[in-house]
Amino acid sequence: MYFSALARTMAAAFALCASAALHAGEVEVLHYWTSGGEAKSVAELKDMMGKRGHTWKDFTVTGGGGQNAMAVLKQRVLAGNAPAAANIKGPAIQEWAELNVLTNLDAMASFEKWDEALPKVVADQMKYKGRYVAVPVNVHRVNWLWANSAVLKKAGVAALPKTYDEFFAAADKIKAAGFIPVAHGGQDWQDFTVFESVVLGVGGTALYDKALVKLDRAAMTSDEMKKSLEIFRRIKSYTDANSNGRDWNVTTEMVINGKAGFQFMGDWAKGEFLAAGQTPGKEFTCSAAPGTANAYTFNVDSFAMFQLKSWEAQKAQGYLAYLLMGKEFQEKFNLRKGSIPVRLGMNMEKFDDCAKTSSKDFVATSASGALVPSVAHGMALSSSQQAAMRAAVSEFWNNDKLSVSEAVAKLVAVSAPKQK
């Protein structure tokens, strides 16, 4: 019923040369790109699909966040009414593939030479049992530190901090100047975004991989992990009292508007700065989080492709997959969103200095082994393990009475499922 290898190869060829009228169809897509920079990014994709004659339909779940959307998606898929694609990433791709509901994209991948265009660590995440079932769109670097240039200047901070000693010295100056040193949104994923950058900065990729990816108990209970927790808690003292529950983009606005000095956040935050008309190196600055200049935590947005019954829908889906990995869309999309192309060998001339640095470091860390998946953003652990890790770290962030030793014990408890 679904694409054979030959049919998929033909579909790829059609994507290149067939007229719009011959393969017009509808693609229904589940995504979460609704903020300023993100909304402009997805508009690029809709426009490119429309030029080929296809129509785009947003998959929406009224009153629901990501968790509710996934529940509705599962109900629809199991009922035989799947959308064409859904924004799913990391180990969650494998979880959906195990339900035998994702379509095989190998012929398209072979036709377009995806294995050559992608770093192996990324390509492997798009596959299930060696076969492509999802398409990567971009690469976000998570271990960024953003800063308002004017705030730093007014506070007398001459350079972005490269160590945590330098960071806290700068934070003290910013606080003394009457600004909020660290803009932070008190949600568990934002808490963990800060935490994983601290672990990476304190213990390097070795500690990060062992403790947060492999969930090794020895690494979890190490002195480096305890130091990471101490620094993490100290950072909280530089945030404002109204951070609890604040969305990330609202938090970024605090830096954009000059109310706060720093923010730990992935480079989707840059999309907000750009949407506000600001320029990197001028109104705002970017730097790897303290201690992480030679490491890279990645968050790859990707679309899992579901099995569809309608031939017209299959053709539209095939063209969507083709577009997502195409050089034209990779450039346009990532210029809008603040991320970088996932394809290797892309021309970065049109990108800003932050993106050029990110691209250079992405390639370098891919070769050195310092390219590691972001735990906070669903690239490393199962959904249940990720939720448990977030909860443990967020509890430590929010409860000053919880000791470092007690936090370590909670992290070890999360690691139990992976221990032999």
Side-chain angles (χ1 to χ4, degrees):
M1 179 182 296
Y2 305 107
F3 277 177
S4 64
L6 177 60
R8 288 190 174 279
T9 302
M10 290 175 65
F14 285 158
L16 293 171
C17 64
S19 70
L22 288 178
H23 71 173
E26 180 182 83
V27 287
E28 185 180 12
V29 182
L30 170 61
H31 67 91
Y32 307 97
W33 297 329
T34 57
S35 67
E38 295 174 327
K40 289 181 179 180
S41 300
V42 77
E44 293 282 1
L45 185 56
K46 292 180 180 180
D47 181 62
M48 295 175 77
M49 289 293 291
K51 287 179 179 178
R52 184 59 77 167
H54 299 304
T55 57
W56 175 290
K57 180 180 179 182
D58 284 323
F59 181 114
T60 58
V61 179
T62 304
Q67 186 175 2
N68 288 344
M70 285 295 108
V72 174
L73 174 64
K74 189 169 185 178
Q75 291 173 2
R76 281 190 47 179
V77 170
L78 295 180
N81 184 30
N87 190 186
I88 299 171
K89 59 188 179 180
I93 294 173
Q94 317 304 315
E95 294 173 10
W96 281 96
E98 288 172 358
L99 297 175
N100 195 32
V101 295
L102 299 185
T103 196
N104 182 356
L105 300 172
D106 270 1
M108 173 72 77
S110 176
F111 188 83
E112 291 294 309
K113 300 180 180 180
W114 289 0
D115 277 343
E116 296 177 20
L118 297 171
K120 187 177 184 301
V121 66
V122 174
D124 287 347
Q125 289 211 346
M126 301 301 114
K127 298 177 180 180
Y128 176 68
K129 295 184 177 179
R131 296 182 176 181
Y132 280 97
V133 293
V135 186
V137 179
N138 59 358
V139 179
H140 280 294
R141 187 178 196 170
V142 178
N143 58 307
W144 280 113
L145 180 68
W146 306 94
N148 181 292
S149 301
V151 170
L152 265 58
K153 184 177 181 179
K154 291 175 182 178
V157 178
L160 290 174
K162 295 182 179 180
T163 67
Y164 277 105
D165 285 341
E166 292 179 359
F167 173 81
F168 290 122
D172 284 335
K173 290 182 178 180
I174 293 170
K175 187 174 183 178
F179 302 99
I180 299 168
V182 181
H184 181 72
Q187 297 169 337
D188 63 357
W189 70 268
Q190 293 189 62
D191 296 342
F192 209 100
T193 295
V194 178
F195 179 68
E196 70 177 24
S197 287
V198 172
V199 172
L200 188 66
V202 172
T205 54
L207 176 66
Y208 184 98
D209 182 61
K210 290 179 181 178
L212 302 186
V213 179
K214 294 186 172 64
L215 303 184
D216 177 78
R217 292 187 185 185
M220 287 278 195
T221 58
S222 66
D223 289 339
E224 288 179 319
M225 179 58 74
K226 294 174 183 177
K227 182 180 178 181
S228 298
L229 286 163
E230 290 168 356
I231 289 175
F232 177 61
R233 173 163 279 170
R234 187 177 173 186
I235 290 173
K236 183 192 174 184
S237 67
Y238 291 95
T239 64
D240 68 294
N242 298 318
S243 68
N244 189 38
R246 188 163 54 211
D247 289 336
W248 72 269
N249 53 316
V250 177
T251 303
T252 303
E253 287 178 7
M254 295 170 61
V255 182
I256 293 173
N257 296 330
K259 294 181 179 179
F262 295 124
Q263 183 187 18
F264 290 85
M265 188 54 61
D267 54 19
W268 49 90
K270 187 183 66 177
E272 301 302 301
F273 285 101
L274 298 179
Q278 297 193 353
T279 303
K282 188 177 179 181
E283 291 88 358
F284 73 97
T285 54
C286 59
S287 176
T292 72
N294 297 318
Y296 196 116
T297 45
F298 70 85
N299 175 20
V300 173
D301 285 317
S302 56
F303 284 98
M305 298 288 173
F306 289 90
Q307 294 175 359
L308 302 174
K309 297 177 181 179
S310 164
W311 172 239
E312 293 301 318
Q314 288 177 2
K315 286 185 289 185
Q317 182 190 56
Y319 189 62
L320 174 63
Y322 164 74
L323 278 182
L324 291 172
M325 270 294 290
K327 291 183 179 180
E328 180 182 3
F329 174 70
Q330 289 270 323
E331 179 179 88
K332 287 185 176 180
F333 178 84
N334 289 292
L335 281 170
R336 289 285 194 187
K337 198 171 190 293
S339 47
I340 63 171
V342 71
R343 289 185 67 109
L344 298 173
M346 288 284 292
N347 186 342
M348 298 295 291
E349 183 179 351
K350 294 181 181 179
F351 287 81
D352 59 70
D353 290 344
C354 294
K356 289 175 181 175
T357 297
S358 182
S359 181
K360 179 182 177 181
D361 291 349
F362 178 64
V363 174
T365 55
S366 179
S368 69
L371 181 64
V372 290
S374 170
V375 178
H377 297 277
M379 301 304 299
L381 303 177
S382 68
S383 55
S384 60
Q385 289 172 325
Q386 175 189 309
M389 286 283 279
R390 280 185 182 180
V393 167
S394 194
E395 182 181 0
F396 179 72
W397 176 270
N398 290 300
N399 183 0
D400 292 339
K401 294 182 179 180
L402 195 68
S403 69
V404 168
S405 297
E406 289 172 325
V408 167
K410 288 180 179 293
L411 291 174
V412 170
V414 176
S415 74
K418 275 200 172 184
Q419 302 301 317
K420 294 182 179 179

